Amino acid sequence: MTNTTVVEGVEVSTDHWIGGARAESSGFFLDVSPLDESVIAEVARGGALEAEAAVEAAREAFPVWAGMPPAERARLLRAVADGIDRRVEDLAAVETTDNGSLLRSMRRSVMPRAAVNFRAFADELLALHENDLDTRGHTNHVSWDPAGVTVVITPWNAPLMLATWRIAPALAAGNTVVAKPPEWAPLTASMLADITAQAGLPPGVFNVVQGIGEQAGASLVAQPGVDRIAFTGSVATGRLIAAQAGQNLTPVSLELGGKSPFLIFVDADFDAEIAQTAGQYDNAGQVCLAGTRLLVETSIYDRFLDAFLERAAALRQGDPRLDETDLGPLITREHFERVDGFVQRAKEAGAKAIMGGGPNEELGGLYYRPTLFVDPPPASEILMQEVFGPVLTLQPFAGEDEAVTLANSTDYGLDAIVYTGSPERAERVSARLVAGTVWVNSFFVRDLRVPFGGSRNSGIGREGGRWSFDFYADVKNVCAAPWGG
């Protein structure tokens, strides 16, 4: 009998998933909903014992999974995608209650995207090949061999979708997986375990160890039987993981924080840029890709500010389960206080909060007003560090050179957004920006066939398409001399 909780009418196991079966722990942690700060589950709290058991189960399952024909692995991954599709409503309801994201977004895009991740990498697996190369009559043949056990550690702002972005290519490459979901929003990972079992994945191919990062996550990273580590989260935690992985020379893929610039030139589509900049408050600002530093050409600064304030004032904050809501709560009291700390220190440093600037007293709880700072002091904390809340800054620039200088002035380099009416300017500016992705006159358009990752402190490595297989597999070349005949 497994331990369960019921969220929005959906029953969810709160135990680990190890070797194709539920596993308890002697202790538990409390899962608190950001909607009203109520406890919605007592979740099994794993540590070294559970980490060791999960990695061992994954290692035992690896030969069968790695030896499976690619077409059969792809079929099973598509079966997982089908299972996600069948449970979109349940997954959306649970995740909204668990992390406070908008239910309408969960239903329409985020949960369906989790299924897309599995189908896309099933397709990539079957398309994976390299043309043989001839070297003085010798034939070079490249292959992607399954690497072994992959540990996937993911954040709480879109826990299932971001987990599947890593889990799907790892499984497609022939690896077995141990996932450690975020302790602030762990429940949909448990549901995914059930879905993979129903889809027919062999026991041990996919495992879930729940727990606190410093215990369960650290124990998984330290396991000598781990061959790859994929992490999405903070820079500080990424450094700790990289240091521990280095002890075993375990390759890591790190997607870390962002402090992304949103550059707006005078010749851009004005209405489009206003809509897109106000949209950076999505998910209460808890989006690593958000263009939180608005950089606007001086000649349209005043006009932009007036239009932005009008558009942002129309955003509706409230219960994320309601279709009319645009902004929900922050994830936890701890994170709420962290965001407010950034805001109060920015005020003390001289930045002016001309919108928001504090909690939403009318709603109470974990709701924080969308905030805009102008006149932030150069190189101040609010410009340099990731807040991960509904907080934007606005700065003017006089031309391309100043725009690029301001855009590149942080230690991050995850993405950048450029709005302009000139293709030539877009090409010039994009080439000079330090970022893993540059969106021009658009935002958050993702094609899983292209590389994704960050520069500088925003991460290590690229994933997507064949780049994912380059990480999750051991790439091998076989060079054969010509055969005599």
Side-chain angles (χ1 to χ4, degrees):
M1 179 177 180
T2 65
N3 298 299
T4 63
T5 188
V6 176
V7 179
E8 301 293 337
V10 181
E11 187 174 22
V12 184
S13 173
T14 55
D15 289 333
H16 312 288
W17 178 255
I18 298 174
R22 290 294 172 180
E24 297 179 337
S25 284
S26 58
F28 63 86
F29 64 92
L30 299 179
D31 183 19
V32 176
S33 172
L35 303 187
D36 55 8
E37 298 184 85
S38 64
V39 175
I40 57 175
E42 295 181 350
V43 181
R45 183 171 182 153
L49 289 176
E50 291 81 2
E52 184 177 354
V55 171
E56 179 59 31
R59 293 216 70 80
E60 290 179 2
F62 174 68
V64 171
W65 184 248
M68 191 176 289
E72 179 62 10
R73 282 208 305 271
R75 183 190 69 80
L76 290 171
L77 294 182
R78 292 193 181 105
V80 173
D82 292 342
I84 293 173
D85 282 340
R86 285 191 294 270
R87 300 206 65 189
V88 160
E89 289 296 320
D90 289 348
L91 291 163
V94 170
E95 192 146 295
T96 290
T97 300
D98 209 9
N99 84 335
S101 294
L102 297 183
L103 180 58
R104 69 167 189 254
S105 296
M106 290 290 112
R107 285 171 167 166
R108 297 173 188 173
S109 59
V110 180
M111 291 307 165
R113 164 67 187 278
V116 168
N117 287 341
F118 277 96
R119 291 196 181 94
F121 285 104
D123 292 343
E124 288 291 330
L125 169 61
L126 298 182
L128 192 64
H129 71 277
E130 185 74 66
N131 293 328
D132 290 348
L133 298 175
D134 179 79
T135 305
R136 299 186 301 277
H138 295 63
T139 300
N140 291 279
H141 177 76
V142 176
S143 63
W144 288 261
D145 295 349
V149 176
T150 296
V151 166
V152 175
I153 303 175
T154 48
W156 44 262
N157 55 326
L160 183 67
M161 189 274 286
L162 291 175
T164 60
W165 159 243
R166 307 284 204 159
I167 293 165
L171 292 175
N175 294 353
T176 52
V177 170
V178 181
K180 191 278 176 189
E183 57 263 35
W184 287 353
L187 297 181
T188 48
S190 180
M191 297 172 72
L192 178 62
D194 292 332
I195 291 170
T196 62
Q198 292 160 5
L201 264 65
V205 170
F206 178 66
N207 307 271
V208 177
V209 174
Q210 301 160 148
I212 308 303
E214 294 85 349
Q215 298 166 0
S219 296
L220 284 169
V221 170
Q223 290 293 315
V226 171
D227 300 284
R228 295 290 187 274
I229 299 170
F231 170 75
T232 304
S234 72
V235 174
T237 304
R239 287 194 175 110
L240 292 174
I241 288 174
Q244 181 62 62
Q247 300 299 309
N248 297 319
L249 291 181
T250 306
V252 296
S253 175
L254 304 177
E255 182 197 331
L256 306 177
K259 192 68 176 176
S260 302
F262 194 132
L263 290 73
I264 298 169
F265 291 92
V266 64
D267 56 359
D269 183 320
F270 190 79
D271 291 338
E273 71 197 26
I274 293 299
Q276 197 68 270
T277 51
Q280 301 307 300
Y281 289 121
D282 183 45
N283 204 26
Q286 299 168 129
V287 178
C288 58
L289 295 169
T292 57
R293 294 183 294 133
L294 308 181
L295 309 177
V296 179
E297 196 157 5
T298 304
S299 59
I300 59 168
Y301 180 90
D302 292 337
R303 181 187 174 207
F304 173 88
L305 179 56
D306 290 343
F308 176 88
L309 291 174
E310 181 180 357
R311 184 65 176 255
L315 295 173
R316 295 158 295 190
Q317 191 167 33
D319 189 332
R321 294 169 295 188
L322 303 177
D323 281 347
E324 61 266 26
T325 299
D326 298 309
L327 279 85
L330 296 176
I331 181 72
T332 65
R333 178 62 54 180
E334 177 185 338
H335 187 60
F336 181 92
E337 292 173 354
R338 178 182 181 275
V339 170
D340 189 53
F342 272 106
V343 170
Q344 302 313 319
R345 289 192 299 273
K347 292 178 182 178
E348 294 169 3
K352 298 175 183 176
I354 60 172
M355 184 181 77
N360 188 324
E361 298 87 354
E362 296 176 7
L363 294 174
L366 300 178
Y367 292 91
Y368 205 91
R369 293 188 183 279
T371 297
L372 178 68
F373 279 108
V374 299
D375 301 329
S380 57
E381 179 189 59
I382 199 65
L383 291 174
M384 297 292 108
Q385 298 301 318
E386 183 179 42
V387 178
F388 219 62
V391 180
L392 307 181
T393 60
L394 178 62
Q395 297 171 273
F397 64 82
E400 286 183 22
D401 288 343
E402 186 178 10
V404 171
T405 298
L406 290 172
N408 290 340
S409 64
T410 75
D411 292 330
Y412 295 96
L414 187 56
D415 67 292
I417 308 161
V418 177
Y419 265 64
T420 177
S422 166
E424 294 78 17
R425 171 180 282 147
E427 184 175 355
R428 287 194 306 270
V429 171
S430 296
R432 298 173 64 189
L433 294 174
V434 179
T437 299
V438 178
W439 280 288
V440 176
N441 297 333
S442 60
F443 177 62
F444 211 24
V445 178
R446 291 288 305 277
D447 188 320
L448 296 180
R449 297 171 296 181
V450 303
F452 178 81
S455 303
R456 293 178 173 168
N457 283 353
S458 288
I460 296 173
R462 295 292 184 270
E463 292 194 40
R466 207 184 81 176
W467 289 270
S468 287
F469 289 90
D470 288 344
F471 172 70
Y472 291 108
D474 285 326
V475 184
K476 179 168 64 182
N477 178 59
V478 175
C479 180
W483 294 97

